[in-house]
Amino acid sequence: MADVVGGFGFRAGSAAGIGVGPYAELTFDSEGDVDRATQGAVARMEATDVLVFAHGWNSDRSTAVRLYDRFFAPFPALVGPGVRLGYVGVVWPSMRFSDEPIPDFEAPGALAEPGYGCALDPVTRQALEGFWPGRGTELDRLAELLAERPESAAAFIEFGALVRELAGVDAVHALAAPAVPAIFTDDVLEVCRALSLALARAGAGAGAASGAVAAGGEGPGLTVGGGPGGLWGGAKELLRQATYYKMKKRAGVVGERGLGPVLAELAAGRPAMRFHLIGHSFGARVVSFSLRAVPDGARYVRSVTLLQGAFSHYAFADRLPHDKGRGGALRGLHRKVDGPVVACHSPHDSALKVFYPLASRMAGDSAGLLGFDERWGAIGHDGVQAVPGAPRLSLDTALREGVPTAGCVSVDAGSVVRRGGAPSGAHSDICHEELARVVVTAGRMGR
């Protein structure tokens, strides 16, 4: 297996750390290859309905397991007497900077210690080495630049070139490749200025974005003092976005080539078993892309619930509003589900409200990095877009009246998904009984 979930030490079928059961894991490498022992553990489950949850940017198994334990905890008390639940945690190799807190979640020592500012803390530096194995020299130089914050445009040019190299983006050919985000092709000072302003908007504070705040959004990417030294917070964000760029592609691969075929095999062997897919952040991309492997006419996927999904809000559209000749990447796939696709979204999610559009804007886009264009919006920020007839509900309404039994539906979960620090905001504030109840409602499993 390539890029196996770096030394996570999982055990097939282990329920360690999980308070509900039966629990098993499906473990994938970066190419979507499954650990067959973990697949076997799921196949042996005695359950009528199986909850399959894919995490987002958690960099180790222990963090993912704690997330699953907390999210799954309310379910036994919520389902009807005829429902026998099974619980599956999808584990796939991803990356998370340690300065992204999960509310009421982090164990001591799991977060970056205060005082690092733009510099890379040791936890993140080690995680980056696992994410980009064999690139220690480049990472050391990036860490050195972030620690020293030189007042030099040449230093930013060097930093940008190193980030592009890690991201696998060729600076020359990328200019002609419309699928490459503009943050990897535009002038690096302008990019770092835009990201610094975004950090300020997200409430990152003076430590990361003081230069951008002082500049007031004016000038060619420079601070008010005339030098670029205040933009190193934006440079660190550019490095973070490079990991997201790689994870975004990997999540699609794991879903389409890994989770989707595995679920099809499991369903063939256990035709009465019903699957309910849940995904957070890029994990929402994993479970959504798995629908590509659902055979026509199959009815084993009974519901899909997307929690702060980090992919386009036009993904399920048959026609894009700005290009009627094209559809979204997942166009029509909600029809593969024998039930609804529920997109929970929140206006308090800074990762999706502020940074996702910047990271998704394509090279050559006339709007520019700082221009607003809803083409680049995320489904976890404002729900499903451009799918005719897809209802938009408040969380209270969804819990009181239920959700449709088919098709796409958007649920504004901002009443509970609202806490979290910079730079991601409430992006990971998903462990709420209300959201568990949405999953139960979508899957028609309630009392």
Side-chain angles (χ1 to χ4, degrees), residues 1 3 8 39 97 111 150 199 343 446:
M1 296 173 73
D3 284 356
F8 286 2
Q39 181 176 341
F97 276 55
L111 285 176
L199 284 167

Side-chain angles (χ1 to χ4, degrees), residues 35-435:
D35 182 291
R36 290 294 175 179
T38 66
Q39 181 176 341
V42 178
R44 292 188 294 273
M45 277 187 172
E46 292 301 326
T48 60
D49 294 77
V50 178
L51 306 176
V52 181
F53 194 160
H55 64 77
W57 45 66
N58 298 296
S59 60
D60 58 43
R61 174 185 173 268
S62 63
T63 304
V65 168
R66 285 187 293 139
L67 171 65
Y68 298 151
D69 180 50
R70 287 192 55 182
F71 191 83
F72 286 150
F75 280 89
L78 299 177
V79 298
V83 175
R84 299 195 311 276
L85 286 180
Y87 303 86
V88 172
V90 175
V91 180
W92 60 285
S94 61
M95 167 70 201
R96 174 169 166 258
F97 276 55
S98 64
D99 60 358
E100 296 183 11
I102 299 176
D104 300 331
F105 192 80
E106 302 299 344
L111 285 176
E113 297 176 7
Y116 280 97
C118 299
L120 287 179
D121 62 276
V123 175
T124 298
R125 172 63 184 81
Q126 182 179 6
L128 286 169
E129 184 110 31
F131 193 68
W132 282 303
R135 308 306 292 269
T137 300
E138 293 91 337
L139 291 169
D140 284 341
R141 180 55 179 158
L142 289 171
E144 182 180 4
L145 289 169
L146 289 171
E148 295 179 354
R149 291 178 292 171
E151 290 273 352
S152 163
F156 277 86
I157 293 172
E158 179 187 3
F159 188 93
L162 287 169
V163 169
R164 281 196 301 269
E165 185 177 346
L166 290 173
V169 176
D170 184 287
V172 175
H173 295 97
L175 295 174
V180 176
I183 60 171
F184 299 123
T185 60
D186 284 10
D187 176 80
V188 67
L189 276 174
E190 183 62 23
V191 169
C192 290
R193 171 180 174 266
L195 291 172
S196 293
L197 289 169
L199 284 167
R201 180 182 172 191
S210 57
V213 176
E218 300 178 356
L222 307 181
T223 65
V224 75
L231 302 183
W232 283 103
K236 182 179 181 180
E237 187 60 34
L238 178 60
L239 177 59
R240 189 196 315 267
Q241 295 300 331
T243 68
Y244 293 173
Y245 178 64
K246 183 172 180 178
M247 279 192 294
K248 180 178 181 179
K249 294 187 291 184
R250 180 178 292 178
V253 169
V254 170
E256 182 173 0
R257 301 180 189 173
L259 180 60
V262 165
L263 291 177
E265 288 182 29
L266 290 168
R270 301 287 298 277
M273 190 175 279
R274 301 182 288 260
F275 293 94
H276 305 272
L277 310 185
I278 309 161
H280 169 235
S281 187
F282 280 132
R285 184 177 173 90
V286 170
V287 300
S288 296
F289 273 72
S290 78
L291 297 176
R292 287 182 170 177
V294 175
D296 290 340
R299 315 310 298 172
Y300 57 85
V301 178
R302 293 295 297 271
S303 68
V304 177
T305 304
L306 310 174
L307 306 174
Q308 303 310 116
F311 61 93
S312 172
H313 55 194
Y314 294 138
F316 292 101
D318 288 329
R319 293 180 178 81
L320 300 177
H322 52 279
D323 186 350
K324 299 296 186 182
R326 295 174 54 227
L330 301 170
R331 57 186 173 278
L333 288 188
H334 53 284
R335 302 183 186 101
K336 298 264 191 176
V337 181
D338 187 23
V341 173
V342 182
C344 295
H345 57 94
S346 170
H348 308 296
D349 185 333
S350 300
L352 301 183
K353 178 180 181 180
V354 178
F355 293 103
Y356 182 89
L358 282 173
S360 301
R361 194 179 304 281
M362 295 300 152
D365 177 43
S366 60
L369 276 172
L370 294 175
F372 174 76
D373 190 327
E374 63 182 18
R375 278 181 293 174
W376 313 120
I379 199 168
H381 171 239
D382 57 5
V384 176
Q385 302 290 328
V387 175
R392 308 184 65 82
L393 308 176
S394 69
L395 181 58
D396 286 344
T397 300
L399 296 179
R400 184 177 64 252
E401 302 178 7
V403 299
T405 58
C408 293
V409 56
S410 301
V411 174
D412 185 344
S415 58
V416 296
V417 180
R418 56 185 304 110
R419 297 180 305 130
S424 297
H427 185 67
S428 294
D429 185 22
I430 61 167
C431 292
H432 298 281
E433 181 178 323
E434 292 89 344
L435 299 183

